[in-house]
């Protein structure tokens, strides 16, 4: 009976094993990216710990983009997601 992961001793690997390794690699890459993003945010926070005035440079440092959605009427009220 062949193992579910494939016959490594025969030099073959099953598609299930390949999908699993691909998924794990993506998960590891995502974790590394999140760690780098966290480090970057922490360095920004340390740089701007005592802000006397909020200016364009500081806003650009913390805000990558602002998405403004089309305004809609909901229950007779105008609502707009930002």
């Amino acid at each position: 009976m062949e193992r579910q992961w494939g016959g490594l001793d025969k030099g073959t690997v099953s598609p299930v094993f390949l999908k699993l390794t691909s998924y794990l690699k993506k998960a590891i890459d995502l974790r590394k990216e999140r760690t780098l993003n966290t480090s970057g945010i922490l360095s920004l926070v340390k740089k701007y710990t005592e802000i006397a005035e909020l200016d364009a440079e500081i806003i650009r440092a913390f805000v990558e983009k602002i998405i403004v959605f089309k305004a809609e009427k909901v229950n007779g009220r105008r609502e707009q997601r930002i």
Side-chain angles (χ1 to χ4, degrees):
M1 183 167 134
E2 186 175 320
R3 292 176 287 163
Q4 182 179 1
W5 301 109
L8 295 177
D9 53 332
K10 298 177 187 173
T12 61
V13 179
S14 77
V16 173
F17 182 78
L18 292 175
K19 285 182 183 179
L20 178 62
T21 54
S22 174
Y23 172 80
L24 290 173
K25 182 181 180 323
K26 287 177 185 175
I28 290 168
D29 290 344
L30 182 61
R31 176 65 68 171
K32 286 179 183 176
E33 183 180 323
R34 286 183 180 167
T35 301
L36 291 175
N37 288 344
T38 302
S39 298
I41 290 171
L42 288 176
S43 66
L44 280 175
V45 169
K46 288 177 183 176
K47 181 178 177 181
Y48 296 110
T49 52
E50 296 187 28
I51 298 172
E53 184 178 318
L54 189 62
D55 60 10
E57 177 189 350
I58 297 169
I59 292 172
R60 279 190 224 101
F62 286 97
V63 179
E64 183 178 324
K65 63 183 171 182
I66 299 172
I67 300 173
V68 180
F69 293 87
K70 181 180 175 183
E72 300 174 339
K73 277 204 170 185
V74 178
N75 296 327
R77 294 182 59 187
R78 181 181 181 272
E79 291 188 7
Q80 188 168 12
R81 294 186 306 147
I82 299 176

